[in-house]
Amino acid sequence: QKVRLEFWQQALEQLREDGSSRHQNVNPSKDNWISVGTGVSGCAFTLVLLKSEVRVEVAIQRNSTAENKWIFDQLLAQREEIERGFGEELDWHRNDDQKRCLINLSNPCDGFDPESWPDMISWMSDRIRRLEGAFAEPLAQLNQRLKSGEVTT
C-alpha cells in the first residue's frame, strides 16, 4: 500500500504538470487504480498499477448490464475512428459473462520498481490524455442518447 501511495503521488503530480484537468482534484490512493469521470454516469477513465504492468482504460460499469453492453457496442461500432484518434490499437473486452466492459491498453513493466516509475508514469500520462481525447466526443454523443431514453437493449 505504501508503494502504491508513493507511485500515485508521483503519477498525479506528472499528470497535473502535463495538463490533465481531470486529475487536478484527485488524491493519491493505496488502491492499485485511480479513476476519473468521463461525463457519462458509470463510465470512468482509469489508471491501473499492477506488479507486472500499468494500464489505461475506459471502464463501463453502470448498474445495468444491458446498458453497459449497449454503450460498449456503440463504441465498438466506432472502433476504427476511435483508435485512429488514439493513435494505437486498443484491447476491447465486452466481457459477456460480467457486468463491466473495458477498453484498455497495457504496458508490461516492473510496477514496484521505483527506478522505472518515471517511464511508466510518462507512458500513462501520454496514453490517458490520448484516451480522453479519442473518447470525448463518442461518449458525449452516447450520453445524450442515454439521457433521451434512446437506449435499446
Side-chain angles (χ1 to χ4, degrees):
Q1 291 181 346
K2 183 180 177 192
V3 170
R4 288 188 202 127
L5 190 61
E6 290 175 22
F7 176 84
W8 290 125
Q9 286 173 333
Q10 290 181 32
L12 288 166
E13 185 177 310
Q14 185 65 52
L15 285 160
R16 291 176 187 128
E17 285 178 17
D18 291 344
S20 175
S21 60
R22 292 181 195 270
H23 293 90
Q24 292 302 317
N25 297 316
V26 176
N27 292 318
S29 170
K30 294 179 182 176
D31 294 321
N32 71 330
W33 54 271
I34 288 184
S35 290
V36 295
T38 63
V40 178
S41 177
C43 297
F45 292 119
T46 307
L47 299 167
V48 180
L49 168 67
L50 301 172
K51 184 175 181 358
S52 61
E53 70 180 31
V54 289
R55 263 194 326 256
V56 295
E57 56 190 30
V58 176
I60 305 165
Q61 48 197 14
R62 294 167 67 92
N63 289 333
S64 164
T65 300
E67 285 181 2
N68 293 338
K69 303 310 175 197
W70 182 85
I71 292 168
F72 180 88
D73 292 343
Q74 299 303 307
L75 292 170
L76 185 62
Q78 302 174 63
R79 179 178 186 164
E80 221 173 277
E81 182 180 336
I82 289 170
E83 289 181 343
R84 192 172 331 126
F86 180 70
E88 292 180 69
E89 287 186 16
L90 296 163
D91 297 318
W92 297 71
H93 306 276
R94 192 172 194 270
N95 299 330
D96 288 331
D97 58 337
Q98 299 175 20
K99 182 184 277 193
R100 179 174 77 152
C101 301
L102 292 174
I103 304 162
N104 61 25
L105 185 66
S106 301
N107 185 27
C109 61
D110 180 353
F112 296 155
D113 174 15
E115 290 184 18
S116 63
W117 288 358
D119 289 338
M120 293 163 41
I121 290 169
S122 176
W123 183 91
M124 292 176 97
S125 178
D126 174 63
R127 297 320 187 280
I128 198 69
R129 285 180 290 119
R130 289 178 16 202
L131 199 70
E132 292 170 1
F135 279 89
E137 187 58 32
L139 284 170
Q141 290 174 2
L142 288 177
N143 198 37
Q144 289 304 312
R145 293 171 67 187
L146 287 162
K147 286 180 177 180
S148 71
E150 182 187 326
V151 177
T152 54
T153 56

